[in-house]
Amino acid sequence: MSRLNKAEEDNLNSLRNLQEFAALGQFLFCFGSEALGLPEFDQDDLERGLLAGEPELVQQIKISLLKSVSSHRGLTPEQFEEYTRRLYLARKAQANPFGDGVLPIRFIDLDLFQRVIVLYQMSLWALAHPEQLRDKMKDCGEKEQLTWVIQSIK
């Protein structure tokens, strides 16, 4: 990463110490390109994207995760907050970070920790249905599937 100021360095260290960030990264690196159709990227790209707020990579991750857990297939980036809020209200209402106003709180307006938690939660919901991931994975044999260890789905 390029030279960071003290606040950016603190945010980066906080991000790297989040277990949810590590789990999200692992999920994206295992399933991102094949199951979610994401472009190839590395940890630095993911860190930069989350720290910057909402660059193209984060936009792609958000909508890909939403499509993987929603039954609505025609989703667009503009619908992300509304449909993600609906998912939270249906599945985990007490943790809904998008508020209960007429308009949902925008993803970009959530703090760094909340943005990571939203993406992490969506990855957990995707893992709750591994058969959908398996169907999208090319060359995924039984041996590779044994490495998909799921501890808890919340």
Side-chain angles (χ1 to χ4, degrees):
M1 290 192 130
S2 59
R3 204 145 182 78
L4 301 173
N5 66 37
K6 177 73 171 129
E8 292 169 330
E9 194 173 308
D10 289 346
N11 281 339
L12 178 60
N13 287 331
S14 294
L15 180 65
R16 289 179 174 167
N17 286 317
L18 288 175
Q19 74 178 29
E20 293 87 355
F21 173 71
L24 172 65
Q26 184 66 31
F27 175 84
L28 293 173
F29 297 130
C30 285
F31 304 110
S33 63
E34 286 190 57
L36 300 177
L38 295 172
E40 293 292 326
F41 62 93
D42 61 22
Q43 181 175 336
D44 286 341
D45 296 329
L46 182 57
E47 290 171 351
R48 271 193 303 276
L50 288 167
L51 290 171
E54 232 177 323
E56 182 66 25
L57 177 60
V58 174
Q59 285 280 351
Q60 291 174 320
I61 291 170
K62 285 178 5 181
I63 199 68
S64 295
L65 282 170
L66 181 57
K67 286 179 179 180
S68 75
V69 298
S70 174
S71 59
H72 189 294
R73 293 294 157 223
L75 294 167
T76 64
E78 295 76 26
Q79 297 170 308
F80 176 81
E81 287 85 1
E82 180 59 36
Y83 277 85
T84 305
R85 175 168 68 174
R86 290 179 189 183
L87 284 170
Y88 264 96
L89 291 174
R91 298 179 183 193
K92 199 171 183 180
Q94 76 282 5
N96 174 25
F98 294 98
D100 56 4
V102 173
L103 295 175
I105 296 170
R106 297 180 325 150
F107 183 79
I108 190 67
D109 293 334
L110 300 174
D111 66 33
L112 175 62
F113 178 72
Q114 289 175 310
R115 290 193 308 262
V116 170
I117 294 299
V118 166
L119 298 176
Y120 166 72
Q121 183 61 61
M122 293 173 74
S123 72
L124 289 180
W125 288 333
L127 282 172
H129 302 282
E131 65 283 352
Q132 292 174 356
L133 291 173
R134 279 188 202 103
D135 290 345
K136 295 178 182 178
M137 298 292 289
K138 300 173 192 154
D139 303 323
C140 185
E142 201 172 305
K143 185 177 180 181
E144 289 81 14
Q145 291 177 24
L146 290 175
T147 64
W148 302 0
V149 179
I150 301 174
Q151 294 289 329
S152 75
I153 300 296
K154 298 178 182 175

